[in-house]
Amino acid sequence: MSDITLDHIKFEHARVGALIEQYEKQATTTEYVIERAVIPLPVGARVAGPIFKDDGTLDYYLILHANEDSGSHDEAKAYVAGRGYKLPNCREGRLLQAAFPDECAKGSMWLEDDYEGDGAYAWYQSYSYGTQTTSHKSAALRAVAVSRFIPSLI
């Protein structure tokens, strides 16, 4: 059996210290707490779900409103704006497809985003598989109204 020296103890202490530092840098389990939110819904409206920011915190809840119209992209935007709502953006369209596949299967619907490559086109969501692509803004597609509920910290 070898003698324990002060240098050996210091070496082992440094080694254990390095292991502790490495352990503390590892990803640890986290909890995500969803605060209780009371969302006032008009008749026929349904909550599609939460939309999160890039950092994983809650941004807002997406609400799908009852009733719809059809028409060109400009007509669709005017219709939902006249009701105080918006067309869903591309990200929200994917959430609507996941939350309400039967609703989305009723027919292709306009999304609020214009196509960046050509101002005469805009994005829409197909009814068949929920794919998103572009069409000429004059095409007659569904106008589905959504709103965004941001929980307050009052």
Side-chain angles (χ1 to χ4, degrees):
M1 187 163 173
S2 64
D3 291 337
I4 296 176
T5 65
L6 182 58
D7 288 338
H8 179 75
I9 293 171
K10 287 180 179 179
F11 172 79
E12 289 298 321
H13 184 266
R15 187 179 69 79
V16 170
L19 286 172
I20 291 171
E21 185 178 332
Q22 182 181 356
Y23 176 79
E24 288 175 338
K25 288 181 181 178
Q26 291 177 354
T28 58
T29 311
T30 59
E31 288 183 333
Y32 186 79
V33 178
I34 298 176
E35 298 296 327
R36 181 175 179 262
V38 177
I39 303 172
L41 296 174
V43 174
R46 297 182 284 172
V47 175
I51 296 286
F52 296 99
K53 298 176 187 174
D54 290 339
D55 67 1
T57 60
L58 178 67
D59 197 1
Y60 59 90
Y61 291 96
L62 183 67
I63 300 169
L64 174 64
H65 293 276
N67 301 323
E68 59 185 62
D69 199 5
S70 63
S72 70
H73 191 251
D74 290 338
E75 291 167 342
K77 279 184 163 182
Y79 169 73
V80 297
R83 296 178 59 209
Y85 305 124
K86 293 185 150 219
L87 292 175
N89 61 35
C90 289
R91 185 175 182 193
E92 294 165 346
R94 290 188 292 275
L95 177 59
L96 290 173
Q97 177 67 35
F100 307 120
D102 292 340
E103 180 70 30
C104 293
K106 292 179 181 176
S108 297
M109 63 182 177
W110 282 118
L111 300 172
E112 93 179 318
D113 307 298
D114 291 334
Y115 176 58
E116 309 79 26
D118 186 341
Y121 288 79
W123 287 95
Y124 77 94
Q125 185 157 305
S126 165
Y127 67 90
S128 55
Y129 296 105
T131 56
Q132 295 179 350
T133 189
T134 59
S135 179
H136 198 275
K137 288 182 176 180
S138 62
L141 301 176
R142 293 168 57 215
V144 176
V146 298
S147 62
R148 297 158 182 116
F149 177 81
I150 301 170
S152 108
L153 299 176
I154 296 176

